[in-house]
Amino acid sequence: MFFQQLVNGVTLGATYALIALGYTMVYGIIQLINFAHGEVYMIGAFVGLIMVAVYKVNFFIALLAAMAVCIPLAVLIERVAYRPLRNSTRLAPLISALGVSIFLQTLVTLIKGDPNPLGFPHVIQDTVYALGPVKFSLIQVVILIVASLLMVFLEITVKYTKIGKAMRATSEDYETANLMGINVNHVVSFTFAAGAALAAAGGVLVGMYFNSINPFMGVTVGLKSFCAAVVGGIGSIPGAMLGGLLLGIAEVFGVAAGFDTYKEAISFGLLIIILLFRPTGLLGHPIQRKV
Amino acid sequence: MPVLLELDHMTIRFGGLIAVSELNMQVEEGKIGSLIGPNGAGKSTVFNVITGIYTPTRGKVTFKGQNITGLKPYAITSLGIARTFQNIRLFKNLSVLDNVKIGRHCRAGGGIFGALTRHPGIKREEKTIAEKSLSALDLVGLTAKKNEQARNLSYGEQRRLEIARALAAEPVLLLLDEPAAGMNPQEKQTLMQMILNIRQTGVTILLVEHDMKFVMNISDCVDVLDYGCKIASGTPSEVQKDPAVITAYLGKEVG
Amino acid sequence: MEGVLSILTNPYYNQVLTMMGIFLIAALGLHLITGVTGQFSFGHAAFLSIGAYSSALMTIYLHTPFFLNMLVGGLLAALFGILLGIPSMRLTGDYLGITTLGFGEIVRIVFINTKITGGAMGLGGIPKETNIAIVYILVVLTVFSLYRIQNSRFGRALAAIREDEIAAETMGINVYWYKIKAFAVGTFFAGVSGALFAHMMQYLNPSDFGFSRSFDILNFVVLGGLGSIPGTILGTAVLSLAPEFLRFVKEYRMLIYGALMILMMIFRPYGLLGNVDLVRVFRSLRSRGAGKGTVSGDS
């Protein structure tokens, strides 16, 4: 029973982690809580659904299509709604992000015609593998594999490529990176693109896993994933993965322990507790007061 | 002269870096003391320890015979230490007068209830705050600018406003962190006179300053820091002759 | 005059204006926390809900007078504000924001799971006690109180914290404690606003107090001009009335609302009245009227 819940928790956590990575990378570079990130995830799920339901493509094509739509979308959002505000007050881009969020939710509702949830066609068979008493459904296996591959790919990009190095430099010190000849605008666009690709994948995976998507699905999942990013230490990529897994596991075990009506509160409770003891998250750097 | 402030084997470490090591230092009441040293010697760090922004890793800070190590900055201010900052930290979007009034915070007591009722006690208190703040502004020659926003002042005026704000707290000890930085010779002359006037009112002063002429003209005693260690201490003329100081610091200037 | 009277007697306009006043009180509370003290709070709606449910329950079960219930609602909200503030005021900026957001969601979920508040079904049967006169008398009182607070030793300390925490602390201000006090006063007004809301709507549901409500109130405070009372009033008026004016665009309403938020921030990042010092504008208008002809500089 314990291991079964653990598998379920890790699966859920992997999807949170995928979305949390987008929050943490953007925050790491421009210190913005990108509230519209949840909507990118939601649109990824819808694109995936359209691809499999209308165009009858297989799962991987749907995944790629969702990414192909979400990447330019996120880059556009940054360009239109955040870049003009980069040197503004802290609250201005935050409000702008909320505006984007409301705009996209309404847009998708309008296109769809109503705000009701849609089911997701069964593109992956309901095969169940048993490993002793622990059962894995095929979809869980797919989620874990796809999520792991994407995270490994991200880690390699950030660690070993030129753009990755530029990202790390910009995240360390935006001004200095700029002065050192790094085109920070490219770095920011790339960061939004990378985050969007992961969120789009997360959208398609979650849509299949829970078999239900709606125009407002990005709100709660987005907030929880942001919690995951903060719990892990915002700005830290391994932190987002750790935070996502922790929150997913905590939620599944919380529900199993009978707190199902408090399901949505578990992430926030965990967030508050962790921030009180580690104000910059589990893997975040402590803040040194500069005088 | 009795000792007003004493640092006893004060050490502060940031991670692997020892910013200040085993510093022993005294400031006597009524004197103008100076702390000098090359960039990065740890001078501002000493100020941050004295005012409670940093807690020393080891050692003790004593003020008026009382151990103030580890006290919060606001508590230290109300005991009578006020300061200015090297990189001016005014309340930029507030008026010049409000900046000084905030400096007087620790010498008043009105709270939320007082704010809402404005009972006679509060009215009296506000009147005193306004009077004292205006006289502090007068001392630094900024009375005419009292309604300006602080960010609209010139650089030199901002430095003087910082001094007025610190004075409003009625300190026994005033810490000035590079007050002459960025000033022209004439402004420096005015500043020097201003500092002497402040001392005249009974305030002890500790300076961190790079301008040697300024320091040597105004100080009663000078302590020299280099790489976080004290290398010399004495009257300006003694320090100027000290070979360690000449090699570490003044040597470069003399050539 | 006739026009004004017809607006007040028209039930629809009356309702719109009353709700605007109710949320203005909450917004003024957040103005003290975010605009004056500079602290993020993304969970303001939670304090409205605390004030709303507690006062409504008192009215229903204890039959105590409405004004007492409202006061208790405000004080209870302030108490929770202090309880949240004690651990979280050590956090800064976005961390504080996300913690308050988390707190807000937890409070909402607790109300969903509580029997006495009707859970997710909501709490009905609250007598109507709120009317436009009471609301606007309280609005005036709130503005008056905030004006006095901002022009006091306490208010100056809060503004100092917003401007520079380290300098404020060095000037003798106990920054941590003052932030909690600001939070307590701000959440008190949220609680009062919630009590008025409860006795206006006569029905409460936890979904009335989600984080989107919190962000609506934050918008009121930011869009008019952060840190100024007239700005908060203007922001609340514009944003409360905008959806009404946008009714003709029907289903595109929220689409336009979202787009407007983005455009507003891009073209007026400091809000409608941001960087406009009304006192100064007023002074310069007066001095011009007196024939001196001086116009103040950069307002």
Side-chain angles (χ1 to χ4, degrees):
Chain A
M1 193 56 201
F2 173 82
F3 287 102
Q4 185 61 57
Q5 297 296 356
L6 193 64
V7 168
N8 298 344
V10 170
T11 313
L12 182 64
T15 63
Y16 288 159
L18 278 180
I19 305 156
L21 283 165
Y23 281 108
T24 219
M25 288 192 291
V26 166
Y27 194 93
I29 288 183
I30 53 173
Q31 282 78 50
L32 165 72
I33 304 177
N34 178 14
F35 276 114
H37 190 59
E39 275 56 51
V40 172
Y41 149 88
M42 175 269 292
I43 287 173
F46 270 92
V47 173
L49 175 77
I50 292 168
M51 292 310 288
V52 289
V54 181
Y55 298 101
K56 311 283 183 210
V57 299
N58 75 28
F59 159 72
F60 287 100
I61 306 288
L63 203 65
L64 292 177
M67 290 182 180
V69 171
C70 288
I71 288 174
L73 174 70
V75 172
L76 182 74
I77 292 173
E78 190 274 325
R79 191 77 189 75
V80 172
Y82 305 152
R83 194 173 296 179
L85 295 170
R86 207 173 286 164
N87 297 317
S88 186
T89 58
R90 304 275 284 143
L91 275 170
L94 213 63
I95 301 279
S96 184
L98 289 166
V100 174
S101 183
I102 293 174
F103 182 86
L104 292 177
Q105 286 162 14
T106 321
L107 187 69
V108 172
T109 311
L110 286 172
I111 293 171
K112 183 175 167 295
D114 62 64
N116 305 326
L118 280 177
F120 215 95
H122 286 260
V123 275
I124 290 177
Q125 284 149 352
D126 293 332
T127 324
V128 174
Y129 304 95
L131 197 82
V134 183
K135 294 193 184 72
F136 292 86
S137 65
L138 180 58
I139 176 82
Q140 285 183 320
V141 177
V142 170
I143 288 177
L144 290 174
I145 292 176
V146 172
S148 314
L149 282 178
L150 286 172
M151 287 190 236
V152 169
F153 187 68
L154 176 74
E155 192 66 20
I156 292 174
T157 311
V158 172
K159 275 236 167 86
Y160 301 108
T161 62
K162 198 174 169 199
I163 184 79
K165 200 184 274 179
M167 273 173 80
R168 282 182 288 142
T170 312
S171 153
E172 193 69 35
D173 190 331
Y174 184 93
E175 288 302 322
T176 312
N178 200 3
L179 290 172
M180 289 296 125
I182 292 173
N183 186 336
V184 285
N185 282 336
H186 282 179
V187 172
V188 172
S189 293
F190 181 81
T191 308
F192 273 84
L198 298 175
V204 178
L205 294 172
V206 170
M208 288 192 314
Y209 191 39
F210 293 111
N211 192 24
S212 165
I213 66 173
N214 72 70
F216 302 96
M217 66 189 278
V219 179
T220 323
V221 173
L223 282 181
K224 281 195 229 165
S225 304
F226 181 70
C227 283
V230 178
V231 162
I234 196 144
S236 152
I237 289 176
M241 299 179 191
L242 176 69
L245 289 180
L246 263 180
L247 256 52
I249 293 169
E251 202 173 306
V252 167
F253 276 92
V255 171
F259 295 107
D260 51 326
T261 51
Y262 283 93
K263 179 170 166 254
E264 307 297 329
I266 291 169
S267 301
F268 297 112
L270 199 65
L271 168 90
I272 293 178
I273 292 166
I274 288 188
L275 280 188
L276 297 184
F277 291 101
R278 284 194 63 94
T280 50
L282 293 173
L283 303 181
H285 299 291
I287 302 167
Q288 176 73 51
R289 274 176 107 172
K290 285 176 190 161
V291 182
Chain B
M1 273 288 163
V3 173
L4 185 64
L5 178 86
E6 184 168 17
L7 301 183
D8 181 17
H9 292 90
M10 193 278 280
T11 301
I12 181 161
R13 186 198 293 267
F14 299 111
L17 174 85
I18 298 174
V20 178
S21 171
E22 298 285 322
L23 178 65
N24 291 311
M25 197 180 127
Q26 294 183 336
V27 180
E28 287 176 10
E29 213 173 305
K31 293 275 172 69
I32 297 181
S34 283
L35 193 55
I36 62 169
N39 280 325
K43 307 178 298 288
S44 289
T45 308
V46 173
F47 271 22
N48 288 334
V49 169
I50 296 172
T51 50
I53 291 169
Y54 296 150
T55 307
T57 320
R58 253 200 327 276
K60 198 164 88 166
V61 185
T62 316
F63 176 65
K64 290 197 287 192
Q66 182 184 350
N67 185 355
I68 61 164
T69 327
L71 286 188
K72 296 274 181 201
Y74 60 84
I76 291 177
T77 310
S78 42
L79 287 177
I81 301 182
R83 70 173 290 181
T84 68
F85 293 90
Q86 182 187 347
N87 47 338
I88 303 173
R89 300 189 82 120
L90 288 168
F91 307 118
K92 289 202 175 64
N93 296 308
L94 305 182
S95 77
V96 166
L97 183 59
D98 276 347
N99 267 275
V100 185
K101 281 181 171 179
I102 291 164
R104 242 197 114 61
H105 184 88
C106 59
R107 299 286 164 249
I112 301 173
F113 180 73
L116 292 175
T117 56
R118 287 203 185 158
H119 56 79
I122 288 294
K123 280 190 183 149
R124 268 197 307 277
E125 182 180 287
E126 280 293 317
K127 201 168 157 239
T128 320
I129 292 175
E131 281 166 3
K132 296 271 184 180
S133 302
L134 282 171
S135 73
L137 276 180
D138 191 45
L139 202 61
V140 299
L142 284 174
T143 314
K145 305 248 175 179
K146 64 178 183 193
N147 291 324
E148 288 278 339
Q149 280 196 330
R151 60 170 170 182
N152 294 334
L153 296 186
S154 76
Y155 187 77
E157 287 169 337
Q158 292 196 3
R159 286 230 171 267
R160 279 187 280 150
L161 177 54
E162 274 221 327
I163 297 176
R165 186 178 66 174
L167 282 177
E170 289 186 4
V172 182
L173 174 65
L174 177 64
L175 308 179
L176 300 174
D177 200 344
E178 298 199 21
M183 287 188 171
N184 64 36
Q186 208 170 357
E187 284 174 317
K188 280 180 189 170
Q189 199 56 48
T190 324
L191 178 72
M192 203 180 294
Q193 195 51 53
M194 200 185 294
I195 293 174
L196 291 171
N197 290 345
I198 292 168
R199 195 252 302 259
Q200 218 60 60
T201 63
V203 179
T204 308
I205 292 163
L206 181 61
L207 283 172
V208 159
E209 187 48 65
H210 269 302
D211 186 316
M212 278 312 122
K213 198 172 143 216
F214 192 92
V215 168
M216 296 307 165
N217 276 334
I218 201 171
S219 312
D220 300 311
C221 60
V222 178
D223 290 270
V224 190
L225 277 188
D226 192 21
Y227 292 111
C229 297
K230 186 158 102 171
I231 56 169
S233 175
T235 63
S237 52
E238 284 166 5
V239 167
Q240 271 170 318
K241 288 181 205 123
D242 194 305
V245 178
I246 293 168
T247 34
Y249 185 63
L250 295 176
K252 288 174 212 153
E253 294 222 331
V254 178
Chain C
M1 199 58 206
E2 201 106 309
V4 174
L5 271 180
S6 74
I7 284 174
L8 290 179
T9 48
N10 176 320
Y12 172 70
Y13 289 127
N14 188 304
Q15 159 114 3
V16 169
L17 288 178
T18 310
M19 291 312 281
M20 183 182 120
I22 290 173
F23 285 115
L24 179 54
I25 294 172
L28 286 165
L30 187 62
H31 152 81
L32 189 75
I33 297 170
T34 304
V36 177
T37 320
Q39 303 307 303
F40 287 3
S41 173
F42 301 159
H44 207 55
F47 300 102
L48 269 94
S49 72
I50 291 168
Y53 276 108
S54 58
S55 63
L57 290 174
M58 283 179 77
T59 309
I60 294 172
Y61 293 107
L62 304 178
H63 311 290
T64 37
F66 171 56
F67 282 102
L68 174 71
N69 303 347
M70 186 170 70
L71 188 68
V72 171
L75 290 174
L76 212 57
L79 178 69
F80 275 90
I82 294 170
L83 289 180
L84 174 66
I86 286 171
S88 54
M89 279 304 165
R90 303 212 180 272
L91 303 169
T92 50
D94 296 326
Y95 287 102
L96 178 62
I98 201 74
T99 305
T100 49
L101 193 159
F103 172 79
E105 286 299 283
I106 291 172
V107 168
R108 185 176 64 85
I109 292 162
V110 167
F111 279 125
I112 290 177
N113 285 290
T114 314
K115 280 225 172 63
I116 194 168
T117 61
M121 299 297 292
L123 179 68
I126 309 165
K128 188 163 168 128
E129 301 278 0
T130 305
N131 62 48
I132 195 162
I134 293 178
V135 167
Y136 280 90
I137 289 170
L138 287 170
V139 164
V140 170
L141 269 174
T142 308
V143 170
F144 175 77
S145 313
L146 283 176
Y147 175 79
R148 284 209 154 173
I149 284 176
Q150 282 179 241
N151 291 288
S152 71
R153 172 176 176 270
F154 176 62
R156 285 191 300 266
L158 300 185
I161 292 170
R162 177 193 66 208
E163 293 289 310
D164 189 328
E165 277 193 24
I166 289 180
E169 184 118 8
T170 319
M171 291 306 125
I173 297 164
N174 183 342
V175 169
Y176 170 67
W177 186 230
Y178 268 77
K179 281 183 191 173
I180 294 177
K181 285 192 198 171
F183 216 67
V185 178
T187 51
F188 170 80
F189 288 118
V192 169
S193 161
L196 290 167
F197 179 85
H199 295 81
M200 175 74 192
M201 303 303 284
Q202 300 176 262
Y203 167 80
L204 293 173
N205 191 297
S207 63
D208 291 332
F209 307 104
F211 73 89
S212 60
R213 175 76 78 196
S214 295
F215 282 120
D216 279 345
I217 301 171
L218 183 66
N219 272 340
F220 295 167
V221 176
V222 176
L223 248 70
L226 194 60
S228 101
I229 294 176
T232 302
I233 296 173
L234 183 71
T236 309
V238 168
L239 287 174
S240 305
L241 301 180
E244 308 303 327
F245 286 121
L246 287 174
R247 266 187 205 287
F248 72 96
V249 288
K250 297 197 179 79
E251 62 265 43
Y252 297 100
R253 192 166 69 128
M254 289 312 283
L255 198 70
I256 293 174
Y257 186 78
L260 278 178
M261 278 165 72
I262 306 168
L263 291 175
M264 266 295 305
M265 283 300 112
I266 291 175
F267 293 107
R268 297 227 28 109
Y270 296 95
L272 290 168
L273 292 180
N275 286 346
V276 180
D277 185 345
L278 284 184
V279 176
R280 210 183 253 212
V281 169
F282 181 68
R283 267 197 205 132
S284 81
L285 283 178
R286 228 178 21 180
S287 62
R288 237 191 301 187
K292 282 178 195 159
T294 47
V295 181
S296 68
D298 65 330
S299 54

